[in-house]
Amino acid sequence: MRIGILGTGTLAAALGEGWARAGHEVAIGGRSHVKAEELAERLGHGVLAVAPREAVIGRDAVLLAVSWDGVEDMLGFVGAPEGLLEGTPLIDPTNAVAHGVGALLTESGESMARRIAGLAPGAHVVKAFHLFPAGQWTGSLGGGQSRVTVAMCGDDSAALHVVGELVRDVGGTPAILGALDRVRQLEEVAGFVIGLAFAGFDPNSAVPRVPSSAAMNRPAIHTRPRDQGQMC
């Protein structure tokens, strides 16, 4: 696939490296072309540094790897409001949360993914990659440190399929939880996790381990007791 990345930070670097290693063509565009060139050179694997607008034209998917408060400027910079991203899967990994607290900074009932969809008319926005730090996606085995589940929401089934494949390429398991109408819930979860972490608690310890429905519905395997006196 031809993947564009808007941004030059740690998540752009981690996912860009993983996707390039998986054989995808990766183009990085940032407000600073110097930083984009430095990142592309560091990642190698044929990663290209391009102008931000070039990073979104003719791509099979685009990752919006900028801070939540830089989203509007970046999308405006690449022409998204004019429909330049129409039909393109646009991955939103942003977290609009108060630093160290985890409280969402979007309006009540609003989600960043919905805001992004409004700023990029025609784009197929998919919320993904927002729950794990960038370090999860770096490793020597072509994927993350351990296989994790990546919760996703989006309105377009084809875009969800594309992003799901990109999740697998960095060692994750995609889990589609619904359309963008449900994405506010995912963003609240990120705030919950971030708040616990900054308060000094392990978020994993606050989430009960509940078996999946597949595990609960799996028929039990019963072994027939051995007849008395049966020889092995």
Side-chain angles (χ1 to χ4, degrees):
M1 281 190 262
R2 301 183 69 216
I3 304 167
I5 297 179
L6 296 173
T8 56
T10 55
L11 186 63
L15 291 176
E17 180 181 11
W19 289 334
R21 189 186 292 118
H24 299 295
E25 178 186 311
V26 177
I28 296 175
R31 280 195 168 277
S32 168
H33 191 67
V34 171
K35 289 183 179 179
E37 287 181 328
E38 290 174 348
L39 179 56
E41 182 177 358
R42 176 158 56 89
L43 297 183
H45 305 291
V47 177
L48 304 173
V50 300
R53 188 173 286 248
E54 291 180 55
V56 305
I57 297 176
R59 304 295 165 182
D60 297 303
V62 172
L63 173 71
L64 186 58
V66 299
S67 61
W68 74 272
D69 53 353
V71 162
E72 186 170 358
D73 284 346
M74 178 58 82
L75 289 177
F77 193 54
V78 301
E82 288 76 53
L84 205 66
L85 281 160
E86 184 173 358
T88 303
L90 178 59
I91 306 169
D92 165 30
T94 62
N95 285 312
V97 298
H99 181 73
V101 178
L104 265 63
L105 298 174
T106 48
E107 297 293 332
S108 178
E110 183 191 29
S111 69
M112 271 306 297
R114 277 293 187 199
R115 183 184 295 183
I116 288 168
L119 293 168
H124 298 313
V125 177
V126 175
K127 190 78 181 187
F129 293 112
H130 74 300
L131 276 173
F132 293 95
Q136 175 64 46
W137 311 116
T138 60
S140 60
L141 299 178
Q145 298 167 351
S146 60
R147 199 159 192 88
V148 296
T149 298
V150 176
M152 301 162 41
C153 283
D155 290 340
D156 186 82
S157 59
L160 286 166
H161 175 76
V162 168
V163 178
E165 290 302 307
L166 295 177
V167 167
R168 291 186 181 93
D169 286 337
V170 290
T173 299
I176 300 171
L177 296 186
L180 289 185
D181 287 343
R182 194 178 175 187
V183 79
R184 169 82 182 192
Q185 184 182 39
L186 282 189
E187 296 180 357
E188 290 279 13
V189 170
F192 169 73
V193 169
I194 291 168
L196 280 172
F198 272 97
F201 300 99
D202 177 5
N204 292 304
S205 68
V207 179
R209 297 183 63 85
V210 180
S212 68
S213 60
M216 289 189 290
N217 294 330
R218 187 178 299 131
I221 299 175
H222 300 287
T223 56
R224 186 177 63 185
R226 218 178 261 163
D227 296 332
Q228 288 186 351
Q230 181 180 356
M231 299 297 291
C232 295

